[in-house]
Amino acid sequence: MKGKLATKSLAFDVNETEPIICYAATMISSEGLWHKENPLNYSLPLFLLQLLLVLVVTRLFVYILKPIRQPRVISELMGGIILGPSVLGKNKTFSDAVFPQRGEILLEAMANVGIVYFMFLVGVGMDAQSLRRIGRKAVTIAVLGMVLPFAIGALFAVYLIKFDGISERSTANVLFIGSILSVAAFPVLVRILAELKFINSELGRIALSSALVNDLLSCLLLIFSINLAQRNKPSITMLSTFLSSVGFIAFNIFVVRPGVLWMVRKTPEGETFSDFYICVILAGVMLSGLITDAIGTHAVFGAFVFGLTIPNGPLGLSLVERLEDFITLLLLPLFFASNGLKTNLGLLDDFREWVILITLVILTSIGKIIGTMVAAFYYQISVRDGAVLGLLLNTKGVVEIIVINIGKDKKVLSSESFATLMLISILMTAIIVPGMSLISKPMRGMIPYKRRTIQMSQKESEFRVLVCIHTPRNVPTMINLLDATNPSKRSPICIYLLHLTELSGHASALFLVQHHTAKDPDQPAYNKTEAQSEHIVNAFRNYEHHAFHVSVQPSTVISPYSTMHEDVCNLAQDKRVAFIIVPFHKHQAVDGEMEPTNMSHRTVNLNILSQAPCSVGILVDRGFSTCSHLAPDQKSRNVAVLFFGGPDDREALSYAWKMSENPGINLTVMRFVHGEEVMHQHSDLSPDESTVLTVKTDKDSQKKLDERLISWFRTSCEDDGSVVYVEKMVNNGEQTVAAIRSMDDIHDLFIIGRSEGMKSPLIAGLTDWSECPELGAIGDLLASSDFAATASVLIVQQYFGQGTEDVLETNQEEEQTLPP
């Protein structure tokens, strides 16, 4: 190595030379082991082995880092570092056999093809129209958040250059370091926000818009830095490159985009795009990359701009569906891993280097946070939210790695500097999720509110309900159930509507997020998910328009099923709702059988039941018609409550009580009592026997609360002819089932408590054959296909937390003083 100084530092050594490698163009595939040939001496088998190792190691890191929610880019870079000279590559036998220098050409070429097409998908996923709708707030936050990190990085670059006595490319060095440390990675940020459940929040939308501005500015810095890497200072050649890039963008806007729109118009609605059109677009990606590389920028810039010309709609969806898995699961890991393979952390063997590295990471991260907080303060955003924004905008990803890679290729960065910057990118991205968890989760847990149940909600106040929808099939019965809840002027209903959508893949997540955050109301749906969202929202908007005293606030959750419950619970807590309603994971088929819709929905329901900050209801949908606007001669809807006792049954009765005020509802409350207990209560106790039990058990407390609510309910409804109260004496589970089956087959809806863990002789033996234990013993019976009924079932679980019973008793005592 020439020009290497004796003193080690984080140096920019521009005089590095690489050995010349002879490459045999004809050695593509071997004749096989049986001809005593080593397949790894040939290009194709060597590349296949390299690709296999990259995939295995990166997926292993994805699995290891998944519990701490690290973005996939971290796993892919770590995989490359493990395979490279930092760990396994230290073994010369392994590196010469698996990653020899002669194999770098094919590996690098395929990795760069992958990144070109990935940036094309990023462009497709962005809504070009949304660029014009980015607010001044996002631009200000993005720019101020870049200034301090850029300045800190520039100062460090100047210091390092002077230390090594190298000055001929100082401007390029300063720009490289400053741009890498100051920009944010929009695609990676989308995934992080989705994992942290911030993607639907106002803070998340600001972060996405600011990161988008950051990414666009980073593209400009990328173009500028590439040209500065070739020469000492701005020149006429740089001006030519800049003007050529502007001309390329204009050509895409005024020529390419109209051509793509013509393809869309020539394809009938609902039909797939022809292979010819898809082939033309894929060829356009390669041509765009070739042009921008020829004019002196980079192939990824051309692919990204070409992707922006693809209009949101079926064409964009078709391209994403065809390319996403191959690009993001196969070629993109190859790009990140190839950079990891070039990272030799062993070169950073001086304590001073690590001090500089850690100091640089800390200062730039703090600089980004301070700059963002200044902008946030100007726009009256809280200090905490400003700090969260600054932390989020520290995300590094594809563009930053590309800039570092170009710096290495153009000899602007030495091997030591390359390893340093790669490690900085990993560390700055890795600290985001833990940092966000420390900041946001304690704050979420501190949000206090008392009206977490229906029973504790005041009758003359707004009733807040969070409604979860998976498919349009859930909509009619859900709307009719809410309408039957009797919204009134005294007690209006605020409905927080959530369409639950699975997050799968990287580009598709970006595609959905962009469309949901910046959607033109007049723009038609362009995929099945979007069409379903529009159908669901329109149905609830129509209900809101025709109903009285109802407000609807719709939103969409894009999340993996494994963490979807966190979105639901966080929104419920933020909005202080009293009741969450989720659809059962089965639906009724034409023959009456209950068939699974999606077993992942059951996982979501179970997680919500265990972690909800308020009461929860699971709706088993067998059809429930509307009843609030019935004509006088029309039949009312019949609702039945099966009351066994306990907090869940009290919550179910409280919900049915609200419904009983609806003139179109006939309510029947059937209370099941143990026959032996009734006989015991009516027997006379001797004075000695009455003093034996002196300890008040929890069972006694629950019975007291049951009696209080039942007594108050009967007193309030004694003059209401639409409410019927009956008591049924049973002694065991068999008699309970017989009593339920003997009920008139006229009921449209059963409301019952979940009563998990309740041990009562009234349901003895029923839990032994439960198919869905989350519904409780009685709920599972009513929801089963064996139960001969066409009624829907609402299974209710009451929230129980610290202080709940104290508030409950106080609330009931206050309510008892009200007139009937």
Side-chain angles (χ1 to χ4, degrees), residues 707-780:
E707 293 294 341
R708 178 184 295 177
L709 182 64
I710 288 290
S711 175
W712 184 36
F713 168 76
R714 295 183 65 182
T715 302
S716 300
C717 300
E718 61 183 357
D719 297 328
D720 190 345
S722 64
V723 177
V724 177
Y725 174 83
V726 294
E727 289 189 354
K728 194 78 172 180
M729 285 191 295
V730 292
N731 294 313
N732 51 51
E734 184 178 350
Q735 293 181 9
T736 299
V737 173
I740 295 174
R741 291 187 182 277
S742 67
M743 295 180 69
D744 295 333
D745 192 17
I746 60 170
H747 296 100
D748 304 288
L749 175 69
F750 285 98
I751 304 178
I752 58 172
R754 183 186 177 205
S755 302
E756 182 191 23
M758 183 178 74
K759 296 180 179 180
S760 169
L762 304 184
I763 58 172
L766 298 184
T767 57
D768 297 340
W769 305 99
S770 290
E771 188 177 350
C772 301
E774 68 270 20
L775 302 182
I778 303 301
D780 183 75

Side-chain angles (χ1 to χ4, degrees), residues 105-237:
I105 297 176
L106 182 57
L107 186 67
E108 289 284 336
M110 289 302 296
N112 280 279
V113 168
I115 200 60
V116 165
Y117 274 96
F118 176 76
M119 290 305 293
F120 166 70
L121 288 181
V122 171
V124 171
M126 289 184 181
D127 181 5
Q129 301 296 324
S130 68
L131 300 180
R132 294 184 295 183
R133 294 194 290 268
I134 292 177
R136 185 178 300 175
K137 181 192 296 185
V139 175
T140 304
I141 290 173
V143 173
L144 288 182
M146 290 181 68
V147 171
L148 272 177
F150 190 95
I152 293 170
L155 287 174
F156 268 75
V158 171
Y159 169 76
L160 292 173
I161 294 166
K162 287 182 178 180
F163 183 82
D164 253 13
I166 300 169
S167 61
E168 54 264 39
R169 296 192 183 181
S170 60
T171 308
N173 293 333
V174 169
L175 195 60
F176 265 98
I177 298 296
S179 60
I180 290 167
L181 295 176
S182 59
V183 299
F186 180 78
V188 178
L189 183 59
V190 171
R191 174 66 65 171
I192 291 176
L193 286 172
E195 290 286 344
L196 293 173
K197 312 304 174 189
F198 274 89
I199 206 163
N200 292 301
S201 66
E202 180 64 24
L203 193 65
R205 285 189 281 271
I206 295 174
L208 285 175
S209 299
S210 301
L212 181 57
V213 175
N214 255 314
D215 252 11
L216 295 176
L217 292 175
S218 68
C219 286
L220 297 177
L221 290 173
L222 171 63
I223 297 171
F224 197 52
S225 59
I226 290 171
N227 284 274
L228 278 182
Q230 306 292 336
R231 51 198 63 84
N232 218 8
K233 57 185 178 180
S235 64
I236 189 67
T237 308

Side-chain angles (χ1 to χ4, degrees), residues 476-477 479-487 543 624-632 634-639 659-666 748-749:
T477 298
I479 288 179
N480 293 333
L481 174 66
L482 293 167
D483 190 54
T485 308
N486 193 41
Y543 167 59
F624 182 62
S625 301
T626 186
C627 55
S628 63
H629 306 293
L630 295 172
Q634 287 182 290
K635 183 177 67 174
S636 299
R637 299 305 171 193
N638 299 295
V639 178
M659 296 178 70
S660 68
E661 298 175 2
N662 191 316
I665 291 290
N666 290 327
D748 304 288
L749 175 69

Side-chain angles (χ1 to χ4, degrees), residues 353-387:
E353 295 173 355
W354 284 99
V355 171
I356 294 174
L357 172 67
I358 295 171
T359 303
L360 189 58
V361 170
I362 294 174
L363 288 181
T364 51
S365 298
I366 294 175
K368 172 78 77 172
I369 293 173
I370 292 175
T372 306
M373 287 175 66
V374 170
F377 177 77
Y378 178 77
Y379 286 102
Q380 298 181 342
I381 299 175
S382 68
V383 174
R384 183 186 71 89
D385 287 349

Side-chain angles (χ1 to χ4, degrees), residues 94 110 187 206 233 258 276 390 455 495 569:
F94 174 82
M110 289 302 296
I206 295 174
K233 57 185 178 180
F276 174 74
Q455 193 177 356
I495 302 170
C569 296

Side-chain angles (χ1 to χ4, degrees), residues 290-538:
L290 175 63
I291 292 172
T292 51
D293 190 81
I295 65 179
T297 54
H298 196 278
V300 296
F301 174 72
F304 176 72
V305 173
F306 184 71
L308 285 174
T309 64
I310 306 298
N312 278 345
L315 178 59
L317 175 67
S318 179
L319 289 167
V320 169
E321 287 179 340
R322 296 191 186 207
L323 296 177
E324 181 185 26
D325 288 343
F326 180 72
I327 299 300
T328 60
L329 298 180
L330 194 68
L331 295 185
L332 189 62
L334 194 61
F335 171 76
F336 287 117
S338 68
N339 284 278
L341 287 168
K342 292 183 287 186
T343 303
N344 187 0
L345 300 181
L347 297 174
L348 307 178
D349 55 359
D350 188 0
F351 176 76
R352 182 179 178 279
E353 295 173 355
W354 284 99
V355 171
I356 294 174
L357 172 67
I358 295 171
T359 303
L360 189 58
V361 170
I362 294 174
L363 288 181
T364 51
S365 298
I366 294 175
K368 172 78 77 172
I369 293 173
I370 292 175
T372 306
M373 287 175 66
V374 170
F377 177 77
Y378 178 77
Y379 286 102
Q380 298 181 342
I381 299 175
S382 68
V383 174
R384 183 186 71 89
D385 287 349
V388 169
L389 274 174
L391 192 60
L392 287 171
L393 293 178
N394 272 305
T395 308
K396 307 301 174 192
V398 176
V399 175
E400 293 72 30
I401 303 302
I402 292 172
V403 174
I404 297 172
N405 207 34
I406 292 171
K408 182 73 163 61
D409 294 340
K410 303 296 183 183
K411 307 300 181 186
V412 175
L413 303 178
S414 66
S415 296
E416 292 92 333
S417 303
F418 179 83
T420 300
L421 294 176
M422 289 295 294
L423 194 56
I424 287 174
S425 297
I426 292 174
L427 292 176
M428 291 184 72
T429 304
I431 63 176
I432 292 174
V433 175
M436 287 288 295
S437 299
L438 290 174
I439 294 174
S440 63
K441 286 196 174 181
M443 295 301 294
R444 282 192 186 273
M446 291 168 62
I447 299 176
Y449 73 103
K450 295 182 178 179
R451 309 298 178 184
R452 294 174 181 262
T453 70
I454 303 168
Q455 193 177 356
M456 290 192 294
S457 298
Q458 294 179 349
K459 284 199 169 186
E460 297 189 3
S461 63
E462 183 181 60
F463 180 50
R464 298 185 179 186
V465 184
L466 177 59
V467 176
C468 300
I469 301 289
H470 290 288
T471 67
R473 180 189 288 115
N474 309 138
V475 172
T477 298
M478 197 72 77
I479 288 179
N480 293 333
L481 174 66
L482 293 167
D483 190 54
T485 308
N486 193 41
S488 63
K489 186 176 181 180
R490 292 188 306 119
S491 181
I493 296 180
C494 180
I495 302 170
Y496 295 96
L497 173 65
L498 273 187
H499 179 207
L500 305 181
T501 305
E502 183 186 14
L503 174 66
S504 58
H506 193 110
S508 62
L510 181 64
F511 206 49
L512 287 170
V513 169
Q514 278 298 296
H515 199 74
H516 282 296
T517 55
K519 187 179 184 299
D520 186 346
D522 297 327
Q523 185 177 354
Y526 61 89
N527 62 20
K528 181 180 179 181
T529 301
E530 183 63 25
Q532 286 188 348
S533 287
E534 288 190 1
H535 178 86
I536 292 166
V537 172
N538 289 339

